[in-house]
Amino acid sequence: MKLRLSYHTALLVAIAVVLTLGWAQTQTMSAQDDVFHIVKGVVKHVDKDTKTMVVKAGDGTEHTIKWTDKTTVEGGKDIGDGIKEGSKVSVKYTEKAGEKTAVGVKDAGKATAKAVNN
């Protein structure tokens, strides 16, 4: 049995293969972009104008992390108000092209105080 494909059918199959491979590549890139990191430490500086904060981790490294309107804040009113210089925090962030963006910020000092008081 010999299978003969018309030119149009072969072209459609080729397009489907290219689109499938392109979609698979996009999914791989998206998965890499969604890698989350966590840093725990003390807020050393907050700049509301640039929406950045510097967090000094336990190992002494300092991380400059920006926040957006989508960044969630747990245990504090807002970054710069409830979470400010001297606050102990845990920050979940993504990093793209060397820029760290906070997904969520947790006031670790308040969580610890709450656990101790209960």
Side-chain angles (χ1 to χ4, degrees), residues 53 66-73 79 92 101-105:
M53 65 180 146
K66 73 174 190 170
W67 72 86
T68 67
D69 294 335
K70 293 181 181 181
T71 302
T72 60
V73 179
I79 299 171
K92 181 178 180 181
T101 303
V103 175
V105 180

Side-chain angles (χ1 to χ4, degrees), residues 17-66:
V17 169
V18 169
L19 290 175
T20 301
L21 292 174
W23 179 80
Q25 178 66 26
T26 302
Q27 294 303 312
T28 302
M29 289 185 336
S30 293
Q32 291 172 352
D33 290 345
D34 292 334
V35 174
F36 295 105
H37 306 277
I38 295 177
V39 62
K40 295 179 181 183
V42 177
V43 177
K44 294 309 237 178
H45 180 72
V46 174
D47 186 333
K48 287 185 172 184
D49 293 332
T50 61
K51 290 189 170 186
T52 59
M53 65 180 146
V54 177
V55 177
K56 186 172 184 178
D59 65 1
T61 58
E62 293 188 354
H63 302 265
T64 300
I65 305 169
K66 73 174 190 170

Side-chain angles (χ1 to χ4, degrees), residues 3 5-21:
L3 180 64
L5 296 176
S6 71
Y7 172 76
H8 289 29
T9 304
L11 183 60
L12 287 174
V13 169
I15 290 171
V17 169
V18 169
L19 290 175
T20 301
L21 292 174

